[in-house]
Every structure is written in C-alpha cells, then in structure tokens.
C-alpha cells in the first residue's frame, strides 16, 4: 500500500466523503475514487464501509496487539509447557484445524489460551461448557458480536465476520467441545469451507473427525513442571509454605501430573502441610482403587475433587452442590436467589479452588467443568435437584423479564414505543451484554423438565429478547415452544401469531408463515375469540397473495377464497383491526372489499397496518403504469418506520418489505440516487441481514446502472453463493440483480461471465407470473447489443421485437425466455420493474441499427419515459441519434447527471464530436470500453 493510499484509508476510517478527502489531501475527486477502487481490490472488500472497518483495525494493530474476543484473563502464572505452546503455534501455521486432546483437568484450556495469546489477527475464544445442544453457532456469534438477519443464516454471518481483514486471517478457539462433538464438527466444517482464511483451535476429549484435522495429545505435566506448579499455587495460599522436595514430588506423582488435581491439592497445603496432604491423598486414592474408569488419570482427579469436597463443612457442601445448577458464570445475586448463598461461603469455596472467581464488573463466579459434574452428582444424591431447578427457573423468569424491560422499544412500565430513529443499526445499550452473560442459563432453565406457567412465561420472553438480539431462528423456536406450553388457547394463538412474524424474517419460505397463521386461527377458535381468528386468517390470505414468490408453490385461489370467507364469518366487521385486515386481504386477492383498505387501515392508527395498506396501494399504482405514484406511496411507508418498534416481531414484515419496496420503486422510476441510498441503508441494517444475498440484490442494480461496476461485482459472488448456501429457496426477485451482474460483465467485455449470469437470471425467475422479472433480461440484451455493436441487423431486430412485446402473450422471437401467464392476483405485477428500461433500450437499439420502424418505436414508448427518468434520458439520446439533434443529446446528458448515471452520461458524450474525448476518458475511468462505430449520431 502506497503512502497516499494509506492516507486515503485513514480518511475513510474517519467516514469522510470523497470530496472531503480530496480537499484534505489536495487531490482531485477522481484521484480519490481511483485510490478507493485500488483499496477495494487490495483488501477484497465490497464497499467503503468495509474499508472504514479496515482502517479501524489497522489503527488498533498499530497501537498494540489485541487479544481475541473472549480470551480468558490470566490470573495465575503459566508454568511449564513451553515446548507444547510452540508446538501448538507451529501446528496452527501448518493446519487449519488443530485439536488439543486430553482428559478433563489435564490443562487443555490453559494451553489453548497461552497458544492463542498474541495471535496477530481477528477471531474469538469461545467456552462451550455452558452451551447446550443447538446453540454452538449462537455462542460463537455472541463472542464475535454478529447477528443473523433476514435471509442471512447465522453461520453465514459468522463466516463473513471471520473472513475479517488482511486476507481473512482469523483464529477461532472452541474450548471444551466433547459434549457437543457432532454439532461442533458440522459447524467447524462449514466455517472452514466458507472462510479460507480461518484457523480453528479446538480442545476436546475426543477428535472432531473433520477432514484435515490435526490432533495434538495433551499429556500431564512432567515432574520438572509439576513440582514448580504445586509450589506456586501452595505459596499463593500460604506465602510461607515450604516442603521437602521429595514429598512434593511424591504428591505430584500420586496425582499423575494432572494440573487441576495439583492446584486443588495445593490449595489445601496451608492447613495440612505437604506430609499431611500426601497421607490424606493416599487414603482418597485407595477408596477409588476398585472403581472402573476409562482414564486412570481422571480417576485420580475425581479422587482429589471428592477429597476436597469431604473436607468442606456442611454449609460449604450445600452451596457447592447447589451451584451445579448454573450452566455458565453467575453473579452473587443469582447465587443468593437460587442457592441461598452468602458472600462469605462463596469466598471460602474460591479459596479452596472449587469455585473460580472471574474478574470484571459485576463480579461473576463459575465452576470448572469437571468440578461442576461432581457437584451435580452430589446435588442429585442430596435429593435437592428438583427444588433447585425450580428456583433456577424462577430466577431465570425474573432475569428475562428484567432484560425485556430494558429493550429500547419499551418504557419502564413495559409498554411499547417506536424505536426506529433512522440510524438503522438496531437496538443498543448494555442489555445485550447482560443477556449474553446469562443466555446459557436462561436457555438451560427453559430446557428443564418442569412445564408450566413459568416455562411458558420464560419461552415467550426469551422469544422477544432473542429477536431483539437478532437470533431470529432462536426467537421463532421460543415462540413455537411458548405456544406448546401456553396455559390457554388464547395465549397459544398469540404466540403462534408472533411466531409467524418471526418466520417472515428468519426463514426463506413464507409457507411457514402461512401455516403458523392458520394454526393461530385454529387456537383462537378454540378460545372462542372470533376477532383473533379473523385477523389470523386474513393475514394468512394476505401473505399468500402479497408474497407469492416466497412460496414454493402458489396457494390455490379457491383455498384463499375459502379462508377469506371464514375470516369474514368469524370476526366483527365493526372492529377497526378486523375491518382493516379483511379489506387488505380482499384487495390483495382481487375480492370485492367492504371498505377502502387504506381508509380502514388509517382508522386503526397502527403504523404496521397502515404500511401494509400503502403497499397494496403502491403495487396497484405500479401495476397500472402510475410508477411515480407508487414511488411516492412507498416513501410514505418509509416515513412510518420511525413509529415502529424494531425489537418487536410484529413490525418485522413491514420493516423488511418497506426497504425492499423502496429500493424497487425507486428503480421503477429511474430514481437511481434514492435506490442506491436506500440499498446502502439495507446493507447497514442489522435486521435486514447486513451483507446477505437479499441485501446484495438491492444494491447491485443501482450500482451497475450508475456505472460502479467494480463495486457491484464485489457483491455478485456473495449473492449467488449466499442464495445457494440457503438451500436455493424460491427467490424470483433475485433475477433483476443477476441480470444487472450480466450487464456489468458485458460492459467489461467478459462475454463468458455475461452469459453465465444471464442464464442464472432466467433460471431463478422461473415461469408463470414471475415472468415479469425477465424484463431485466430483455433490457440487458438490448443495452449490451447497443453497447457492443457487433450484432447483425436481423439480430438487432429480433432483440428490439422482444423488448417491444415484453408483456405480450403472443409468439416469442426467442425460446429461452418462457412466456408469461396471466396474473391471478394483484400482488403478481402485470408490468415488470424493468419494462420501461427494456422499451427505451430497445427503441434506441432500433435507431442505432437503422431499423425502418425506429421512429415508430420511439413514439410507442414515449409515454413510459414520463414515468421513468432513466427511460426519459435514454429516449432523449435516441432522439438525438435519429435526428442529429444536439439539444436532445444535451437534455439526455442533463438527465443522466440528475440520476448519477455516469456510464450512460459518458456514452452520450461520445455522440457529441466536441466532447467525445471527455466521454472516452470517463469510460476509461470506469473501466469500460465500447465500439465507437455504434456511438455516432445518424444524420
């Protein structure tokens, strides 16, 4: 990286604009753009936001080495194992997966911490001891500070985060994996496949069995290290401790060199002395002489834990065994609530090395894995397990309610308030850190076998909290669990309805949303709540018609009509919400409506219901060619986002759909600046999935249409691979973005890639009503033919005919694009969002190719230009070409400038002899070359 690039990178880290950077460094904006493009290529990132992250990390690394996230603080000296640390670090340089193998208490964790300390890269250290089945990815996500978003699975977000910076070098340490071995193995395999720069270090009692895994057995300490470890820990308990080296050596031999056993024994040395300690250990080990154990060393460790336990007084024993109920670290308030602990007794257990005190604020404590297992056995033997679990569940319910009350969308009295302030970064504050600290225990409490009102309350509250934490699939699971545990049918109906809201953003198919709403309606009927049944059924019917492309197959019209009739019969038509939902269901399905849907929605004063009605109105406007009206109505929806609580699943559908519609409707009218600005907001939004394939589909088209081809292509592979990793769900709306990628490659002269992405666009679009998405394919065909200029006249004529008859059901001139079907619902657009682009590009191609009907084509699509700024600028250019009219060309240039279409502006300049050189220079800056023979006016 050059010195100037370093200066630009630093300025990007300060979030300066190109103009500000140019002013600060006394260089041109064009030079800044060139440096930014170079930095994007060098770091392999997609946009200037990612470069700002690069700058931030560079600053941190220049200041000091930063430990991995979650790396445990070291409170005692690390003795011995120098050769082992070097061996682990060498293995990490040679293999991408290294597993430290050994029994509990042998020192695997401490060795991993030492090896990971000072790692020059990104990553995290994750202790999996408190983690339950199914939560490995969430534990890693919490450590890395990432969340999942709509259409972005959590593991994809983790992979993107681990890809990191500086070539993606990152280290993930997964500690204590043996109880989750299969899940960890699957997770690690996916991470290694998806992130070539990641290195994984695992500690476990057994290997993962993942291809490429390198295992390093961790042996007990030899006598040269075990003796100094014992003396160091003994003197921590008694600074005056002294002992015969031979006795110390015998103690360490009797404990098989196991570090944890040595530390536990050393903690007792102050009261027993070395000789007394050895005698007592001999007795403890003799008791277990006949006990079978797969690992002899683990038997000695169990003996020393049992011996340490037997030396406790009754008060200490009671607290010790009760603390086993905690899955993870706990604070004093939790210990008191669940176990009747006192600070004094807890402190005594710490002094005896049976409990670990974790530094931080507030103070927390934990039991090491092996010690907790022993304590759990004692808890069961004491007959206290059921009672302590009940107390743990009550504590968990109270903590979850406290966390929920702190969500930004709630006041102190628990009521809801809108929290969308326009920053689009989701909720913040310390509640997230507090949730992460207790999350494993809340989940463990929910898994306890004690179904009842408290379990239901905890499941419902956890659903809300995890949704706000952006663990969206987990939130869905909790609401579904809540419905099962619900004390009444009315509660179950409510939980299922909220689960449907979660499913809209956490799954890739709205079929699940539809089915959850039907289940909610069924439970509402059991509860005798006709209005709740009507609302759930109406929403199900709306979902089927409003989002048909998110269903594997269209819900038949007769079924939708039957459900709608059931909704009408169930609910009170005078109830504002019922009336609004019925009206919306009617208009989306083309049924006669009893009321105007927008007027009915406004009567509820609910921004979510109003937004949904505005979506119906904007879609109707677009379907009837009133593109600017549709855009205006969508911007009205956008303004309503400020009134919605982003942490309430109820708002999820409208938030996600409003952003998507805002991008799409801006494209429809050729408002590229608004489309791009909104798409960038999508990229920055935690709920919308950050850099998911959905967000990529929003940002690629405006980037290509404005000429930012390199930046657009940064998102292309991510989009395609992300969609495939998600299981290739029905996502026909991806087709225009894939078409835009084909256009970018075609403009750059890569014909092979152009054809690959064109085929993908057709494949994803499928058949039937989704056929309208192929307007984008037709537009790209026409625009590239115009640009490249290497097609014969008859080929150009065929392309023009296809664009001019894009919505026709008559015979096609090509067979690779399937014919459209008649739409069966309002939600299936009759006009594709790129129809005006296709018509205008086709008309200009007719002019450039000298087709006889060129003037007729221009006249035929003139009406479309009134609704689309891109089409207007294109038709002005075509008019200038046809008549040699420089005023029309000047108008075209002005039009391109208004919508920041730099590529099209540069091409238009080629048509003006005095400015052709300026046009060629602009195209060169964009990395684009074109055949000048096709870029001349026709006299």
């Amino acid at each position: 990286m050059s010195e100037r690039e370093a200066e630009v990178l630093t300025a990007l880290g300060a979030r300066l604009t190109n103009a500000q950077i140019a002013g600060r460094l006394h260089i041109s904006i064009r030079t800044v753009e060139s440096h930014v493009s170079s930095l994007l290529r060098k770091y392999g990132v997609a946009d200037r936001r990612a470069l700002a992250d690069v700058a931030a990390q560079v600053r941190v690394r220049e200041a000091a080495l930063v430990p991995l996230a979650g790396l445990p603080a070291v409170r005692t000296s690390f003795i011995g194992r120098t050769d082992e640390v070097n061996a682990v670090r060498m293995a990490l340089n040679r293999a991408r997966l290294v597993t430290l193998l050994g029994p509990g208490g042998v020192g695997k964790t401490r060795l991993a911490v030492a090896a990971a300390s000072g790692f020059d890269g990104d990553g995290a250290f994750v202790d999996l001891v408190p983690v339950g089945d199914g939560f490995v990815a969430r534990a890693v996500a919490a450590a890395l500070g990432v969340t999942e978003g709509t259409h972005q699975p959590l593991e994809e977000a983790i992979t993107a985060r681990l890809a990191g910076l500086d070539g993606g070098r990152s280290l993930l340490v997964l500690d204590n994996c043996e109880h989750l071995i299969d899940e960890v193995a699957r997770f690690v395999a996916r991470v290694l496949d998806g992130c070539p720069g990641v290195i994984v270090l695992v500690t476990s009692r057994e290997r993962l069995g993942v291809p490429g895994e390198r295992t390093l057995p961790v042996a007990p300490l030899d006598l040269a290290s075990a003796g100094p470890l014992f003396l160091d820990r003994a003197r921590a308990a008694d600074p005056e401790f002294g002992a015969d080296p031979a006795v110390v050596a015998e103690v360490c031999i009797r404990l098989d060199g196991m570090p944890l056993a040595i530390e536990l024994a050393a903690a007792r040395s102050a009261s027993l002395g070395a000789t007394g300690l050895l005698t007592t250990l001999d007795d403890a080990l003799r008791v277990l002489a006949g006990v079978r154990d797969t690992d002899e060393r683990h038997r000695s460790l169990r003996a020393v834990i049992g011996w340490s336990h037997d030396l406790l007084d009754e008060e200490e024993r009671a607290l010790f065994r009760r603390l086993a109920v905690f899955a993870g670290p706990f604070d004093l308030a939790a210990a008191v609530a669940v176990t009747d602990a006192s600070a004094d007794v807890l402190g005594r257990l710490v002094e005896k090395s049976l409990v670990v005190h974790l530094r931080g604020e507030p103070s927390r404590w934990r039991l090491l894995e092996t010690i907790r297992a022993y304590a759990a056995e004692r808890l069961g033997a004491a007959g206290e397990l059921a009672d302590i679990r009940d107390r743990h569940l009550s504590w968990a319910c109270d903590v979850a309610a406290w966390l929920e009350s702190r969500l930004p969308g709630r006041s102190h009295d628990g009521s809801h308030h809108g929290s969308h302030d326009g920053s689009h970064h989701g909720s913040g504050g310390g509640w997230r850190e507090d949730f992460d600290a207790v999350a494993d225990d809340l989940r463990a409490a929910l898994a306890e076998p004690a179904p009842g009102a408290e379990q239901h309350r905890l499941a419902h509250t956890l659903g809300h909290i995890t949704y706000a934490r952006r663990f969206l699939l987990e939130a869905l699971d909790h609401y579904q669990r809540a419905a099962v545990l619900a004390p009444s049918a009315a509660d179950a109906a409510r939980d299922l309805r909220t689960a449907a809201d979660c499913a809209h953003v956490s799954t890739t198919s709205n079929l699940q949303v539809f089915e959850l709403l039907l289940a909610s309606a069924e439970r509402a009927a059991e509860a005798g709540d006709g209005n709740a049944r009507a609302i759930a059924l109406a929403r199900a019917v709306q979902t089927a018609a409003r989002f048909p492309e998110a269903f594997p197959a269209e819900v038949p019209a007769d079924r939708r009509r039957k459900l709608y009739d059931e909704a009408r019969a169930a609910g009170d038509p005078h109830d504002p919400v019922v009336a609004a939902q019925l009206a919306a269901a009617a208009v989306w399905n083309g049924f006669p409506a009893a009321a105007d849907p927008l007027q009915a929605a406004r009567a509820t004063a609910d921004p979510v219901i109003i937004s949904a009605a505005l979506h119906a109105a904007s879609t109707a406007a677009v379907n009837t060619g009133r593109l600017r009206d549709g855009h205006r109505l969508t911007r009205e929806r956008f303004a309503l986002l400020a009134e919605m609580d982003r942490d309430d699943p109820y708002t999820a559908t409208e938030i996600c759909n409003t952003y998507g519609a805002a991008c799409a409707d801006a494209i429809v009218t050729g408002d590229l600046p608004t489309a791009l600005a909104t798409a960038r907001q999508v990229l920055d939004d935690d709920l919308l999935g950050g850099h998911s394939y959905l967000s990529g589909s929003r940002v690629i088209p405006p980037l290509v249409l404005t000429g930012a081809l390199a930046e657009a292509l940064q998102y292309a592979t991510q989009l395609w691979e992300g969609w495939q990793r998600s299981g290739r769900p029905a996502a026909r709306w991806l087709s225009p973005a894939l078409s835009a990628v084909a256009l970018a490659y075609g403009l750059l002269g890569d014909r092979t890639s152009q054809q690959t992405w064109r085929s993908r666009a057709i494949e994803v679009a499928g058949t039937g009503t989704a056929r309208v998405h192929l307007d984008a394919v037709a537009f790209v065909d026409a625009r590239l033919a115009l640009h490249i200029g290497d097609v014969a006249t008859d080929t150009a004529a065929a392309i023009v005919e296809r664009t001019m008859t894009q919505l026709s059901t008559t015979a096609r001139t090509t067979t690779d694009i399937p014919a459209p079907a008649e739409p069966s619902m309002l939600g299936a657009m009759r006009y594709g969002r790129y129809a005006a682009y296709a018509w205008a590009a086709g008309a200009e191609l007719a002019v450039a190719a000298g087709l006889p009907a060129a003037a007729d084509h221009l006249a035929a699509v003139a009406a479309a230009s009134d609704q689309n700024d891109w089409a207007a600028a294109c038709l002005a250019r075509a008019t200038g070409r046809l008549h040699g009219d420089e005023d029309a060309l000047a108008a075209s240039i002005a039009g391109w400038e208004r919508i920041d279409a730099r590529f099209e502006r540069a091409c238009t300049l080629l048509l003006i002899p005095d400015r052709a050189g300026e046009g060629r220079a602009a195209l060169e800056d964009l990395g684009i070359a074109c055949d000048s023979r096709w870029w001349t006016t026709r006299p």
Side-chain angles (χ1 to χ4, degrees):
M1 182 168 59
S2 69
E3 182 178 350
R4 180 63 81 190
E5 285 177 340
E7 292 174 335
V8 171
L9 182 61
T10 299
L12 289 170
R15 309 289 178 175
L16 299 183
T17 66
N18 284 357
Q20 291 170 325
I21 296 172
R24 173 176 292 189
L25 301 181
H26 305 289
I27 57 180
S28 70
I29 294 177
R30 181 176 296 177
T31 301
V32 174
E33 291 174 345
S34 176
H35 286 311
V36 170
S37 297
S38 176
L39 289 167
L40 288 170
R41 290 193 299 273
K42 288 184 176 181
Y43 282 99
V45 295
D47 54 34
R48 59 192 299 121
R49 289 165 179 75
L51 285 177
D53 293 338
V54 172
Q57 183 131 344
V58 167
R59 286 197 304 273
V60 168
R61 289 181 179 173
E62 288 175 348
L65 277 176
V66 178
L68 298 182
L71 193 68
V74 177
R75 303 181 62 220
T76 57
S77 55
F78 183 65
I79 296 174
R81 298 210 191 273
T82 301
D83 291 342
E84 289 94 329
V85 170
N86 291 333
V88 175
R89 289 176 174 170
M90 185 176 298
L92 292 172
N93 286 328
R94 295 178 177 176
R96 295 185 59 211
L97 171 60
V98 176
T99 299
L100 305 184
L101 290 176
V106 80
K108 302 185 298 295
T109 296
R110 193 62 190 272
L111 178 58
V113 170
S117 298
F119 176 77
D120 185 16
D122 207 353
F125 187 104
V126 185
D127 179 12
L128 295 180
V129 166
V131 177
D133 289 342
F135 290 98
V136 169
R138 292 182 182 91
V140 175
L144 290 170
V146 301
T147 57
E148 62 189 308
T150 179
H151 297 288
Q152 185 185 38
L154 190 57
E155 289 181 4
E156 184 178 330
I158 290 170
T159 300
R161 173 69 177 84
L162 285 173
L165 308 169
D166 295 337
R169 177 176 167 79
S170 55
L171 174 64
L172 178 62
V173 183
L174 300 177
D175 190 31
N176 295 296
C177 298
E178 49 277 341
H179 64 300
L180 300 166
I181 201 73
D182 292 335
E183 183 181 352
V184 171
R186 290 191 296 269
F187 174 79
V188 167
R190 285 192 289 266
V191 167
L192 293 174
D193 288 342
C195 183
V198 75
I199 303 165
V200 180
L201 176 61
V202 164
T203 75
S204 178
R205 297 180 190 177
E206 60 177 298
R207 65 192 301 271
L208 299 186
V210 174
E213 178 182 22
R214 179 170 182 177
T215 58
L216 295 180
V218 179
L221 293 172
D222 57 25
L223 196 57
S225 298
L229 174 64
F230 179 90
L231 289 172
D232 180 81
R233 303 305 191 253
R235 286 169 182 158
D238 177 10
E240 303 301 321
F241 177 82
D244 182 348
V247 175
V248 171
E250 184 62 23
V251 168
C252 293
I253 290 171
R254 297 294 285 136
L255 295 176
D256 299 308
M258 296 290 281
L260 178 56
I262 291 170
E263 294 198 12
L264 287 170
R268 289 289 186 177
S269 60
S271 58
L272 296 175
T275 303
L277 182 64
L278 181 59
T279 300
T280 309
L281 282 176
D282 281 339
D283 292 340
L285 290 168
R286 194 175 300 112
V287 170
L288 290 185
V291 176
R292 290 184 176 274
D293 198 305
T294 57
D295 193 310
E296 293 290 334
R297 297 189 181 96
H298 199 267
R299 185 186 306 172
S300 65
L301 175 59
R302 179 180 175 83
V304 78
I305 295 173
W307 161 73
S308 297
H309 170 266
D310 292 343
L311 292 177
L312 300 176
D313 62 33
E314 186 52 44
E315 191 177 28
E316 291 168 342
R317 289 182 185 181
L319 177 57
F320 172 69
R321 64 178 177 261
R322 292 168 185 170
L323 290 175
V325 77
F326 288 105
F330 51 87
D331 61 15
L332 183 59
V336 170
V338 177
T339 69
D340 295 323
S342 70
D344 174 63
V345 178
L346 186 59
R348 297 205 302 266
L349 292 177
V350 171
E351 291 171 358
K352 294 164 184 175
S353 296
L354 289 171
V355 174
V356 177
H357 181 208
L358 306 174
R359 290 179 177 175
E361 186 59 40
S363 289
R364 294 185 182 275
W365 292 263
R366 64 168 293 187
L367 274 66
L368 296 179
E369 175 199 14
T370 306
I371 294 175
R372 179 175 177 264
Y374 182 88
E377 291 178 7
R378 304 310 305 169
L379 181 62
E384 297 178 333
L385 181 60
D387 178 61
I388 294 300
R389 277 181 170 172
D390 286 345
R391 297 180 67 170
H392 184 247
L393 175 59
S394 295
W395 164 82
C397 287
D398 291 343
V399 170
W402 172 70
L403 287 166
E404 185 181 36
S405 72
R406 295 171 60 200
L407 297 181
R410 291 211 162 192
S411 64
H412 294 299
D413 63 3
S415 59
H416 290 270
H417 295 284
S419 63
H420 194 300
D421 60 2
S423 61
H424 316 295
H425 294 295
S427 53
W431 75 267
R432 290 192 178 210
E433 291 74 17
D434 289 341
F435 168 73
D436 290 344
V438 298
D440 292 312
D441 266 291
L442 299 184
R443 292 162 179 152
L446 187 59
E448 290 169 0
E454 284 196 317
Q455 282 273 26
H456 172 259
R457 181 161 66 98
L458 180 57
H460 182 86
T461 307
L462 265 182
H464 189 187
I465 297 170
T466 51
Y467 178 84
R469 185 62 179 84
R470 299 302 184 245
F471 292 152
L472 303 179
L473 279 171
E474 181 180 355
L476 172 60
D477 289 342
H478 287 318
Y479 280 117
Q480 289 180 293
R481 175 78 183 279
V484 173
L485 297 169
S488 70
D491 287 321
R494 178 194 60 179
D495 292 328
L496 288 166
R497 194 166 59 243
T498 308
D501 294 325
C502 289
H504 185 87
V505 294
S506 62
T507 64
T508 55
S509 170
N510 271 351
L511 178 59
Q512 186 175 13
V513 178
F514 181 77
E515 291 173 341
L516 285 167
L517 288 169
L518 295 185
S520 175
E522 183 176 340
R523 298 309 305 273
E526 292 176 26
D529 190 339
N531 284 352
R533 173 171 168 76
I535 290 169
L537 289 172
R539 287 187 55 194
V541 174
Q542 288 177 50
T543 300
R546 188 180 174 192
F547 307 111
E549 296 173 356
F551 281 75
E554 182 178 312
V555 178
D558 57 349
R559 187 182 185 198
R560 287 183 277 114
R561 182 65 201 223
K562 181 176 182 295
L563 292 172
Y564 173 72
D565 290 341
E566 290 178 11
R568 289 182 60 200
D572 177 4
H574 300 293
D575 180 275
V577 175
V578 172
Q581 296 290 8
L582 288 173
V587 73
W588 277 110
N589 285 271
F591 305 151
D596 174 78
L598 188 51
Q599 182 178 351
R602 295 193 192 280
T604 69
D606 183 334
V608 171
I609 295 176
I610 296 170
S611 175
L614 284 168
H615 185 209
S618 65
T619 302
V622 171
N623 285 354
T624 53
R626 296 178 291 113
L627 308 183
R628 297 195 190 279
D629 284 345
H631 187 24
R632 174 183 55 77
L633 289 165
T634 298
R635 297 310 295 177
E636 186 178 342
R637 290 183 72 196
F638 203 81
L640 287 172
L641 293 178
E643 302 178 36
M644 298 183 194
D645 178 359
R646 292 177 60 80
D647 292 331
D648 185 348
Y650 174 59
T651 67
T653 301
E654 292 313 309
I655 290 174
C656 295
N657 182 259
T658 297
Y659 272 102
C663 293
D665 287 347
I667 287 286
V668 160
T669 60
D671 184 358
L672 303 186
T674 297
L676 185 54
T678 306
R680 291 197 187 282
Q681 288 178 305
V682 171
L683 291 174
D684 289 342
D685 195 287
D686 67 336
L687 177 59
L688 300 177
H691 288 40
S692 68
Y693 70 87
L694 181 146
S695 57
S697 74
R698 305 303 188 201
V699 77
I700 287 173
L703 283 173
V704 173
L705 290 172
T706 56
L709 307 186
E711 185 179 354
L713 294 180
Q714 294 282 350
Y715 295 101
T717 300
Q718 170 187 299
L719 180 156
W720 184 252
E721 292 181 351
W723 176 67
Q724 290 183 310
R725 283 195 297 270
S726 295
R728 298 170 63 92
R732 296 160 182 165
W733 41 265
L734 284 180
S735 184
L738 302 177
S739 299
V741 176
L743 176 58
Y745 276 117
L747 294 174
L748 294 171
D750 186 343
R751 295 292 190 88
T752 300
S753 296
Q754 171 204 331
Q755 288 300 318
T756 296
W757 287 88
R758 182 183 185 277
S759 297
R760 289 173 175 175
I762 294 172
E763 172 192 348
V764 168
T767 59
T769 58
R771 167 66 182 70
V772 295
H773 289 305
L774 291 172
D775 290 335
V777 175
F779 158 62
V780 169
D781 289 347
R783 187 62 191 83
L784 286 177
L786 178 67
H787 179 75
I788 297 169
D790 62 351
V791 297
T793 299
D794 57 346
T795 305
I799 294 174
V800 170
E801 182 182 353
R802 191 167 70 218
T803 62
M804 294 298 107
T805 59
Q806 187 61 23
L807 299 177
S808 173
T809 57
T810 58
R812 313 295 296 164
T813 56
T814 59
T815 59
D816 61 342
I817 298 180
E822 287 298 324
S824 60
M825 61 192 74
L826 182 61
M829 295 180 300
R830 291 188 290 118
Y831 296 98
R833 297 191 180 276
Y834 286 82
Y837 293 86
W839 298 334
E844 186 175 13
L845 177 60
V847 171
L851 299 182
D856 293 337
H857 289 315
L858 279 178
V861 300
S865 67
D866 182 55
Q867 296 290 315
N868 183 295
D869 292 336
W870 192 97
C874 182
L875 289 177
R877 184 170 64 194
T879 299
R881 280 175 176 264
L882 182 62
H883 302 296
D885 185 344
E886 291 200 8
D887 289 340
L889 294 176
S892 176
I893 291 171
W896 298 130
E897 290 173 347
R898 278 193 298 274
I899 62 174
D900 196 32
R902 288 165 286 166
F903 153 61
E904 299 292 359
R905 174 185 178 275
C907 288
T908 309
L909 290 172
L910 296 178
L911 299 173
I912 304 175
D914 293 343
R915 303 188 67 182
E918 181 185 349
R920 284 191 292 271
L923 287 171
E924 186 176 347
D925 284 345
L926 295 171
I928 298 171
C930 66
D931 191 329
S932 61
R933 291 174 300 168
W934 280 66
W935 290 95
T936 58
T937 54
R938 294 182 62 83

